[in-house]
């Protein structure tokens, strides 16, 4: 059974930084995609960033380009989301997700992902 455990959320002020972590366990990972999604109150879940595990290439939604960086540590089976210059509109519950079957395609649709973490709250005050 695959498990994804997120950490690193919190309350910060606009302009601050946070780093989220998502540790994956439960099986051997080779070719897959991990991604971060977020869901703000009253809004639908949205894709934030994704990374191909093998190649390390990444894709971001436009609103976070230049501010957020997704990365992975192969040895630790962990993916990170470094969030800089945070804005109040970044406030949301952030979820990591794992796609085992997409053959390296970074999907923005959450339905393509097989496993999800429990979520971590990020609150950015103005």
């Amino acid at each position: 059974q695959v498990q994804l455990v997120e950490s690193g959320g919190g309350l910060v002020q606009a302009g601050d930084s946070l780093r989220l972590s998502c540790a994956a366990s439960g099986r051997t990972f080779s070719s897959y995609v991990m991604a971060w999604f977020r869901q703000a109150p009253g809004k639908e879940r949205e894709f934030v960033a994704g990374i191909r595990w093998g190649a390390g290439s990444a894709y971001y939604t436009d609103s976070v380009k230049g501010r957020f960086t997704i990365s992975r540590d192969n040895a630790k089976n962990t993916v990170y989301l470094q969030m800089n210059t945070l804005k109040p509109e970044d406030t949301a519950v952030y979820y990591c997700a794992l796609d085992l079957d997409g053959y390296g395609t970074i999907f923005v649709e959450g339905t393509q992902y097989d496993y999800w973490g429990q979520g971590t709250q990020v609150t950015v005050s103005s």
Side-chain angles (χ1 to χ4, degrees), residues 83-104:
M83 305 184 294
N84 298 329
T85 319
L86 282 161
K87 304 176 180 180
E89 51 264 43
D90 294 318
T91 295
V93 178
Y94 283 71
Y95 300 90
C96 67
L98 171 64
D99 175 12
L100 295 174
D101 306 320
Y103 304 102

Side-chain angles (χ1 to χ4, degrees), residues 51-125:
I51 188 166
R52 297 180 180 87
W53 200 259
S57 53
Y59 178 74
Y60 301 88
T61 194
D62 287 345
S63 62
V64 307
K65 284 180 182 176
R67 299 189 299 123
F68 290 12
T69 302
I70 189 170
S71 62
R72 83 271 190 256
D73 183 326
N74 292 354
K76 296 182 178 179
N77 271 350
T78 298
V79 65
Y80 304 98
L81 185 68
Q82 178 66 43
M83 305 184 294
N84 298 329
T85 319
L86 282 161
K87 304 176 180 180
E89 51 264 43
D90 294 318
T91 295
V93 178
Y94 283 71
Y95 300 90
C96 67
L98 171 64
D99 175 12
L100 295 174
D101 306 320
Y103 304 102
T105 300
I106 300 177
F107 292 104
V108 299
E109 300 85 4
T111 53
Q112 296 289 340
Y113 291 80
D114 306 296
Y115 296 96
W116 292 82
Q118 79 286 357
T120 186
Q121 177 70 47
V122 172
T123 303
V124 184
S125 63

Side-chain angles (χ1 to χ4, degrees), residues 7-39:
S7 60
L11 172 62
V12 297
Q13 293 187 330
D16 286 351
S17 298
L18 275 177
R19 189 177 80 156
L20 306 183
S21 301
C22 175
S25 63
R27 60 169 285 172
T28 301
F29 302 99
S30 57
S31 175
Y32 60 95
V33 167
M34 289 193 76
W36 288 95
F37 287 75
R38 65 186 180 186
Q39 187 166 21

